Amino acid sequence: MQLFHAAASPFVRKVMVVLHETAQLQDVEIVPAIGHPMASSDMPLAHNPLGKIPALQRPDGPALYDSRVICEFLSDRAGAQLYPAARKWEAMTLEATADGIMDAAVLMVYETRCRPDDMQFAPWVDAQWDKVARALDAVNARWMSHLAGPLDIGHIAMGCALSYLDFRHADRDWRQHHRALAAWEQTFAQRDSMQQTQPS
Ligand SMILES: N[C@@H](CCC(=O)N[C@@H](CS)C(=O)NCC(=O)O)C(=O)O
């Protein structure tokens, strides 16, 4: 299989962490794919018409995207329990929350990277951060008992989302008002799968 990949992408990192956790890394060839909405020539357009990564080319079927589809495919393929039947909807809702944090955080980066200085709109960037902050409040208040339980896709997605906030938006200091989540992240970040996939 081929995975279209950039080391800075939190969505790609989710897939990489799943590959590590399910011992499938050796089944995947990493294909570099760097770009953004205004520079898509090196993105896997033939595999994902949206021009986004991650995309996974399988040997025996069409390419898969987006990260949620790929992660569930890989979990099934390995017979892993990252979407455990007993708490599947909770795990997927936590994953969706983490993905929403990543979406907003990535859009904030694109605002400065893709738009000329005189077309950037700070209130729009702040509105994206408001989404992140509301999601962090909700996770800190209502999801800590889930995060204390056995590993599933919700843990992996949240670990990648929080690390991306440190990577791109450290100045916003998300830890300040989310102490329980910050303590969880500190421990989760020590997992080998997280250490081996740090953004660059
Ligand atoms: N919902 C998608 C989001 C993927 C995404 O936004 N990837 C970014 C990189 S972090 C990308 O490929 N951006 C290029 C673009 O938007 O054109 C997923 O879960 O895979």
Side-chain angles (χ1 to χ4, degrees), residues 104-128:
V106 168
L107 286 177
M108 291 168 71
V109 172
Y110 287 164
E111 180 73 2
T112 50
R113 187 167 296 171
C114 302
R115 297 175 75 106
D117 287 353
D118 63 344
M119 295 180 76
Q120 291 173 24
F121 188 48
W124 187 89
V125 174
D126 288 341
Q128 295 302 322

Side-chain angles (χ1 to χ4, degrees), residues 9-11 36-37 43 50-54 66-67 99 103 106 110:
S9 165
F11 298 100
H36 57 63
M43 298 300 261
L50 303 172
K52 295 188 181 195
I53 53 172
D66 57 11
S67 64
D99 283 7
D103 275 328
V106 168
Y110 287 164

Side-chain angles (χ1 to χ4, degrees), residues 72 83 87-97 153:
E72 189 160 1
Y83 297 80
R87 53 179 199 288
K88 179 169 179 173
W89 305 118
E90 288 75 18
M92 291 179 73
T93 300
L94 187 56
E95 180 185 22
T97 306
I153 194 62

Side-chain angles (χ1 to χ4, degrees), residues 56-189:
L56 182 76
Q57 179 61 61
R58 297 174 294 168
D60 53 357
L64 300 181
Y65 53 89
D66 57 11
S67 64
R68 290 185 217 184
V69 176
I70 297 170
C71 289
E72 189 160 1
F73 167 78
L74 291 172
S75 180
D76 277 8
R77 182 176 186 267
Q81 289 299 309
L82 295 179
Y83 297 80
R87 53 179 199 288
K88 179 169 179 173
W89 305 118
E90 288 75 18
M92 291 179 73
T93 300
L94 187 56
E95 180 185 22
T97 306
D99 283 7
I101 291 172
M102 296 183 209
D103 275 328
V106 168
L107 286 177
M108 291 168 71
V109 172
Y110 287 164
E111 180 73 2
T112 50
R113 187 167 296 171
C114 302
R115 297 175 75 106
D117 287 353
D118 63 344
M119 295 180 76
Q120 291 173 24
F121 188 48
W124 187 89
V125 174
D126 288 341
Q128 295 302 322
W129 184 257
D130 288 347
K131 290 179 189 290
V132 172
R134 281 196 304 269
L136 295 177
D137 289 349
V139 175
N140 199 65
R142 296 199 292 276
W143 287 91
M144 295 317 300
S145 63
H146 184 107
L147 287 172
L151 181 76
D152 62 34
I153 194 62
H155 299 70
I156 292 173
M158 194 53 64
C160 293
L162 297 175
S163 174
Y164 188 73
L165 297 181
D166 287 335
F167 179 54
R168 292 295 194 207
H169 303 296
D171 55 317
R172 303 259 182 179
D173 193 11
W174 68 267
R175 286 184 172 77
Q176 192 181 359
H177 299 296
H178 306 98
R179 295 293 182 198
L181 192 53
W184 174 82
E185 190 275 341
Q186 197 172 11
T187 302
F188 190 77

